[in-house]
Structures are given as C-alpha cells and as structure tokens.
Amino acid sequence: MLALIQGLIVGLTVAIPLGPAGLLCLERTIADGRWAGLSSGLGMALADTTFAFIAAFGLTILSDSISSHQPLIQGVGGIILLFVGLYMSLRHAKHTCPKPRTYRTALRASLTTYALTLTNPATILVILALFASMGVGISEGGVLSATFAVIGVFAGSLFWALSIAAGGSALRRHLHQRVGLIKRGTGVVMALIGAVALMALVF
C-alpha cells in the first residue's frame, strides 16, 4: 500500500508540469471535445508508466541507454515539436466541432502524446531519483512493491491528465468560437519549445 501511495506521488510529480503533451491534451479537449482530450491524456499516462516500469524493475540497460542518448532523444523531440507546432500554427482550423468518437481517432491521439512524452528523457531521470529517495523498486521492496509503485504512477499521471481534460472541457464552453486561434497559439508555443530544445543542444 505504501508503494502504491509513493507511486501516486511520483506520478503526480512528473505529470503536473504542463509540458508539450499536456498542452496538446488541453488544446484537443477545447478544440475537439472531451473524447480527444481523454485519449491524449491516456497516452501521457502510459508514457509515464513506461518510464516508471523501467525505473522500478531496474532495467538498467534501458535506463542507461536513455540517459546516454539524451541529446539525441532531445534533438528528435525538438524537431518533432518544431514541425508539429509550425503545422498547427500555420494551418487554418477546418472544424469547430468535436471529431467523431472512433477508435482510430482515439488511438491516434493517444499515440501522439505517448510519443511526445517519451521524447523527454528527463522524465525517467526524475522518476529514478524519486524512486531511489523513497526506496521504491524491485531491489528494495521486491516485485510486489515495484508493481504497486508502477500502478501508482499510472494512477497519478492519469488523474492529472483527466484533470486537464476536465478543465479543457469547461473552457470549451466559453472558447469554442476561438478554436482556430487556440490551435494556432498552441502551435506557436510548441514550436518555441522545440526550438529552445534544439538551441540548448548547440549552445
């Protein structure tokens, strides 16, 4: 039970900072409805859970590989953010109503936020540090402790993602006439984040 609570705290800690994936989740909720926001939030939570699984079960080969290739991953993530942001900011919104609730659109929304979250290698470093400070993981508490810690991270991250979707759904009632502006604004912010990530690799 303690490992579950600790995992919940870790999940909230890594999810609360509103990164590109969280921003995209908020934008999709406002522009396309709660279904798109929930699907995007699920992708975020699953990515955080993937990192938590690696950290909790001591998969040192994977975690060391992610750490050693951090500049490359950051570069790839920066390029993706830059191009996605430019695409969102330059195109005109083609609709102001929610997209159809289909499994294909939900899967696409989940996969994009999952991929965006995975391109932030700092997340696993934070989870590793928090797990180590709390004494959580397979080496400290065994398989059961590690499993509950991972479940806790998923629950905490998903709770925050659902909170973003709920907030976006409330905002949508007041901002549904400005969907195009919101999409372009979100695109500009994401492009700037991508550009800063790329510049950090150079300077």
Side-chain angles (χ1 to χ4, degrees), residues 5 12-13 17 28 35-36 47 51 59 83 85 90 102 126 136 138 178 183:
I5 296 173
L12 287 170
T13 302
R28 283 175 171 170
W35 175 253
F51 283 137
L59 302 179
F83 279 95
L90 295 177
T102 65
V126 173
V136 175
I138 192 170
R178 300 182 180 179
K183 282 181 175 291

Side-chain angles (χ1 to χ4, degrees), residues 166-187:
S169 182
L171 288 173
R172 188 174 188 278
R173 301 167 190 164
H174 307 285
L175 301 175
H176 66 279
Q177 296 295 336
R178 300 182 180 179
V179 168
L181 180 61
I182 292 171
K183 282 181 175 291
R184 286 190 288 272
T186 303

Side-chain angles (χ1 to χ4, degrees), residues 31-33 35-36 91 95 97-102 105 108 183:
D32 302 319
W35 175 253
R91 72 169 181 166
H95 65 279
C97 59
K99 292 180 179 178
R101 293 177 55 172
T102 65
T105 56
R108 187 184 301 116
K183 282 181 175 291

Side-chain angles (χ1 to χ4, degrees), residues 2-12 131 134 148-149 152-154 156:
L2 178 61
L4 182 65
I5 296 173
Q6 290 171 324
L8 184 67
I9 295 172
V10 172
L12 287 170
F131 274 2
M134 293 178 176
F148 275 104
V153 170
F154 175 74

